[in-house]
């Protein structure tokens, strides 16, 4: 049985420490509670403790959660899609999410723009960059970033707000710092052309301190809040 209250307090203390150690204002770093595979009861408990940003990766499961919580009167959550996004799953994501952090190719970008329902605010997106240079990792290559950013800037139903990156698991500190620093350099470089490009989603439990020290504005934390994930019958994306 997870004690969400205690876990959240511990996670916030870690973020506080990471921010203080590099002289940053704690308010500059958002906690994204990664709730994929987790039951509604745990999400609602975290929401009751004041959390408002939640991350999901499985489309069908997430849409069910979003609809159910709204029916229960929980309507102020900012829902982030953070997993690999197949082009045949973009329509429900465009209709139900507030932020998509894992855009890494033109087809997905175009479909999200085309499928955002009329009357809704532009869908906020982040471009995921493969900062670890691992073939199996999601994310565009650096040379693909200019075209994605330029195309997005011309689309009426999406707004690029930042970049997202995932460092190599168990990477040494030097490599972590280099990966995160490079993503920040890219953000700073392209922000001159696109002023709305402000966010840096990078850092999880194990590499949070390095990410915050290198300018992260959002850390993605799951198991440290909700416990280890269960992956049963997750053949959806």
């Amino acid at each position: 049985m997870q004690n969400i209250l205690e876990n959240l307090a511990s996670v916030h203390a870690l973020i506080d420490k990471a921010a203080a150690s590099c002289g940053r204002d704690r308010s500059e770093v958002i906690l994204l509670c990664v709730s994929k595979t987790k039951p509604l009861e745990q999400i609602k408990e975290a929401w009751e403790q004041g959390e408002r940003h939640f991350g999901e990766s499985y489309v069908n499961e997430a849409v069910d959660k979003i609809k159910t919580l709204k029916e229960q009167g929980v309507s102020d959550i900012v829902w982030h899609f953070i997993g690999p996004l197949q082009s045949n799953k973009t329509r429900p994501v465009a209709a139900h999410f507030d932020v998509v952090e894992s855009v890494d190719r033109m087809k997905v970008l175009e479909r999200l723009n085309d499928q955002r329902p009329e009357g809704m605010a532009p869908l906020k997106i982040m471009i995921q960059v493969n900062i670890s240079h691992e073939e199996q990792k999601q994310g565009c290559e650096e040379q693909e970033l200019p075209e994605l950013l330029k195309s997005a800037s011309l689309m009426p139903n999406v707004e690029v707000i930042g970049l997202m990156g995932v460092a190599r698991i168990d990477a040494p500190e030097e490599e972590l710092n280099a990966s995160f620093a490079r993503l920040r350099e890219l953000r700073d470089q392209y922000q001159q052309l696109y002023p709305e490009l402000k966010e840096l989603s990078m850092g999880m439990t194990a590499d949070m301190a390095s990410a915050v020290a290198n300018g992260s504005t959002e850390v993605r934390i799951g198991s440290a809040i909700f416990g280890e994930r269960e992956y049963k019958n997750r053949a959806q994306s």
Side-chain angles (χ1 to χ4, degrees):
M1 186 72 177
Q2 291 298 315
N3 189 319
I4 303 298
L5 176 60
E6 290 183 2
N7 292 350
L8 281 170
S10 296
V11 168
H12 279 287
L14 289 173
I15 300 173
D16 291 345
K17 181 179 179 180
S21 67
C22 61
R24 292 186 62 193
D25 189 321
R26 170 63 178 84
S27 65
E28 297 175 358
V29 185
I30 291 171
L31 169 60
L32 179 64
C33 301
V34 178
S35 51
K36 61 182 180 180
T37 80
K38 294 303 174 182
L40 286 173
E41 294 75 20
Q42 289 191 346
I43 297 173
K44 200 165 184 181
E45 188 174 352
W47 175 79
E48 289 170 347
Q49 298 303 321
E51 302 303 328
R52 291 298 180 267
H53 292 264
F54 289 82
E56 295 281 338
S57 296
Y58 301 104
V59 177
N60 296 344
E61 172 191 301
V63 169
D64 287 344
K65 290 177 180 178
I66 294 169
K67 288 180 176 179
T68 301
L69 285 169
K70 285 185 176 179
E71 290 170 358
Q72 295 177 1
V74 180
S75 59
D76 60 347
I77 288 178
V78 180
W79 292 100
H80 298 237
F81 190 83
I82 59 174
L85 182 53
Q86 299 172 5
S87 58
N88 65 346
K89 290 284 188 176
T90 52
R91 187 175 296 277
V93 170
H96 293 283
F97 279 83
D98 303 291
V99 185
V100 179
E101 301 195 10
S102 50
V103 176
D104 62 358
R105 58 195 188 280
M106 192 65 69
K107 184 176 181 179
V108 167
L109 177 62
E110 291 172 343
R111 289 176 69 88
L112 289 171
N113 176 72
D114 294 343
Q115 295 170 345
R116 184 67 164 173
E118 186 176 351
M120 293 186 73
L123 179 63
K124 292 180 170 60
I125 65 170
M126 298 188 195
I127 305 297
Q128 182 173 355
V129 182
N130 186 354
I131 58 174
S132 67
H133 305 293
E134 297 172 272
E135 289 186 7
Q136 72 273 23
K137 281 281 180 71
Q138 297 293 122
C140 71
E141 298 302 323
E142 290 184 17
Q143 62 268 25
E144 298 172 311
L145 191 53
E147 183 182 4
L148 287 168
L149 289 171
K150 182 177 180 179
S151 295
S153 72
L154 301 174
M155 296 179 182
N157 299 319
V158 297
E159 177 188 4
V160 181
I161 61 169
L163 304 178
M164 190 264 261
V166 180
R168 185 170 66 85
I169 295 175
D170 297 326
E173 190 72 16
E174 183 178 357
E175 181 181 331
L176 287 176
N177 283 325
S179 295
F180 292 142
R182 181 55 184 157
L183 194 65
R184 180 176 182 171
E185 289 171 1
L186 290 169
R187 190 277 312 269
D188 292 347
Q189 175 184 344
Y190 290 107
Q191 193 179 26
Q192 298 179 47
L193 295 173
Y194 309 103
E196 66 279 6
L197 195 73
K198 298 176 181 179
E199 307 302 329
L200 281 175
S201 174
M202 56 188 196
M204 296 180 282
T205 304
D207 55 19
M208 178 198 308
S210 296
V212 171
N214 283 284
S216 175
T217 63
E218 175 194 288
V219 291
R220 307 178 300 272
I221 309 296
S223 56
I225 299 171
F226 300 111
E228 293 301 319
R229 301 185 187 101
E230 296 182 11
Y231 295 95
K232 296 179 181 178
N233 300 319
R234 303 287 174 186
Q236 55 169 312
S237 178

